Amino acid sequence: MAIQSSTPNQPQPYPAHFKLESVVRPNILALHPYRCARDDYSEGILLDANENALGHAIVSQGPSDDEAHVAVEETLALPLHRYPDPVHLPIKARIASLRSLPAPENVFLGVGSDEVLDLLIRIFVKPGISNTGNDKILITPPTYGMYSVCAQVNDVDVVKVPLGVREGEIDGSEGGKNGRFSVDVEAVKKAVIREQRELGNAIKIIFLCSPGNPTGTLIDLDAVRELLEWEEFKGVVIVDEAYIDFVGSAEDADPDAEIYKRSAAQFIGKYDNVVVTQTLSKSFGLAGIRLGIALAPIPIVQILANTKAPYNISVPTAHLASKALSPESLSLWRKNIRTLKHNRTFLVSSLTSLSQSTLPDSTLSLGVGPIIGSNDANFVLVRILKRGAKVGELKPDSTRAQKVYKYLAEEVGVVVRYRGNELGCEGALRITVGTEKENKAVLEKLVGALGKI
């Protein structure tokens, strides 16, 4: 069965073992997308969509030089009484150019990456959990928690293959790891084969988070390529690149080239079984507008478009996204990323120094352990150790870490994230890279908390 509304005469798929029509759920493949009013006409006397011809009824608060007020007034001047463009081709064209994609048609826009992830599960994975014959997804913990949440919402089972730790790294006492995480491709393959051959199930999606959350791990593209070309796997590899713009260092001469070199976006146009998700929430600093992105082969973008709700991207969101992707804004965006990378270097260096520090008037460790994972995102994952450990000992303490987390938030107003309940992250706190002032404050307050707890 052909994909509804698909572009005819698409090139032969690659790799040859992948057939999109056999991976998509049959009901989704047969879905005739809802045709909204703006699909047909967007100019003229528009009396076709039951919009309010009088416009919105929000009263302006009058002139002001306040920046926030000016922004509100600018938003109120938009055609808020009209449904938005359902396609947003100009935004897609700018994203395609930024990410060096073959065409704007390789871009899909969602309400945050989470809508995109949920749609992908609904498109590819048949709901229902029974003894055999299930569709499943595979994740590599520690990883982003929404993969499992979306799976549960959609009544889909999850196969978990832990990230590996690179050879030669240190095993911590009590099961902790001090290492650089990586995808264990052989373990993933064994899990897929076991599900298919022994249990009669099908792994439809492999989720890879790169750089990973909470580990900051950048996945080797050779590992991604190996899974894409592996004939036993008939599903889709989804590479979640929410933090991809933070790879590399502030000294990179051509940061865009470094990002492209390390991004799975380079596989779009070559492989038909890959989707890359990105967002404007992180490096663009636009978490509040909720714009997620899927970079994918054109047939998958078409299926996403067929399945999504109509008009999913609002007028204000589209307006701000367009401005953020303008040449002038991209120049500031690159500058901000360089600043955050500099700040990350300072935070990593300072936390590393604290790991060698002792409590006042003592030879005992302050209790800051090693940074775990890698530092390719806008956060750092650091262990909190048991109180009373000697400097250099690796004894992660999740109970103490949670107390430190609560003390920081409730007593001194510094909010980090407790991640000690994640696989391989015993005793870990995740600290987002802040401004120079914020980084200094979190370090100072962390030292104070460890002196008390």
Side-chain angles (χ1 to χ4, degrees), residues 384 400-408 429 446 449-450 453:
I384 301 301
R400 189 182 185 208
Q402 190 165 46
K403 289 179 180 178
V404 169
Y405 154 71
K406 290 179 70 67
Y407 176 88
L408 289 173
L429 297 179
L446 177 62
L450 291 168
I453 297 170

Side-chain angles (χ1 to χ4, degrees), residues 98-280:
L98 179 66
R99 302 308 187 189
S100 300
L101 301 181
E105 288 77 16
N106 292 109
V107 180
F108 173 82
L109 303 179
V111 184
S113 295
D114 295 329
E115 184 193 32
V116 176
L117 298 172
D118 181 70
L119 278 172
L120 288 165
I121 290 177
R122 280 194 276 155
I123 285 167
F124 292 116
V125 191
K126 178 181 66 181
I129 300 174
S130 57
N131 292 329
T132 188
N134 298 315
D135 287 355
K136 298 185 178 184
I137 69 168
L138 185 148
I139 66 174
T140 57
T143 193
Y144 182 42
M146 279 303 294
Y147 310 143
S148 294
V149 170
C150 289
Q152 186 169 353
V153 167
N154 287 286
D155 196 26
V156 166
D157 209 356
V158 179
V159 175
K160 299 178 181 180
V161 177
L163 288 175
V165 175
R166 294 178 191 170
E167 215 173 306
E169 299 292 355
I170 304 167
D171 284 339
S173 60
E174 303 180 16
K177 298 277 188 184
N178 168 26
R180 301 265 180 181
F181 292 93
S182 61
V183 173
D184 189 338
V185 174
E186 292 308 311
V188 170
K189 288 183 176 181
K190 286 179 182 178
V192 171
I193 290 172
R194 180 175 183 272
E195 289 292 331
Q196 293 179 173
R197 295 182 186 176
E198 298 179 24
L199 303 177
N201 301 317
I203 301 294
K204 287 294 195 72
I205 296 174
I206 295 174
F207 280 104
L208 302 176
C209 194
S210 177
N213 179 8
T215 65
T217 299
L218 184 67
I219 292 174
D220 188 337
L221 290 183
D222 287 340
V224 179
R225 186 182 290 106
E226 185 173 350
L227 292 172
L228 291 172
E229 296 190 351
W230 182 43
E231 292 187 3
E232 288 278 354
F233 177 58
K234 310 298 184 185
V236 176
V237 176
I238 298 174
V239 186
D240 182 351
E241 293 188 344
Y243 301 96
I244 193 65
D245 295 320
F246 298 106
V247 302
S249 97
E251 284 69 43
D252 289 335
D254 187 348
D256 287 12
E258 289 297 317
I259 291 166
Y260 182 75
K261 187 167 63 177
R262 305 183 194 197
S263 169
Q266 63 184 264
F267 293 150
I268 306 301
K270 300 175 184 177
Y271 292 91
D272 291 286
N273 53 346
V274 64
V275 177
V276 178
T277 61
Q278 296 183 355
T279 180
L280 296 194

Side-chain angles (χ1 to χ4, degrees), residues 4 54-55 93 144 165 206 246 253 263 281 298 409-410 422-423 444:
Q4 297 297 326
L54 300 181
Y144 182 42
V165 175
I206 295 174
F246 298 106
S263 169
S281 293
I298 291 173
E410 296 173 7
E422 300 285 334
L423 180 67
E444 177 190 341

Side-chain angles (χ1 to χ4, degrees), residues 333-402:
W333 167 71
R334 293 182 179 97
K335 179 182 177 182
N336 286 346
I337 291 173
R338 283 196 300 272
T339 298
L340 287 171
K341 288 178 179 178
H342 275 300
N343 292 355
R344 180 179 65 196
T345 299
F346 169 79
L347 184 60
V348 168
S349 174
S350 299
L351 288 169
T352 301
S353 295
L354 288 182
S355 69
Q356 300 301 314
S357 300
T358 59
L359 291 167
D361 302 319
S362 172
T363 60
L364 298 179
S365 169
L366 180 64
V368 177
I371 291 171
I372 56 177
S374 54
N375 303 312
D376 288 303
N378 69 330
F379 56 81
V380 177
L381 191 65
V382 63
R383 288 200 196 279
I384 301 301
L385 308 181
K386 284 185 178 295
R387 188 175 182 86
K390 294 179 181 179
V391 172
E393 287 187 351
L394 181 60
K395 294 181 180 178
D397 188 339
S398 292
T399 300
R400 189 182 185 208
Q402 190 165 46

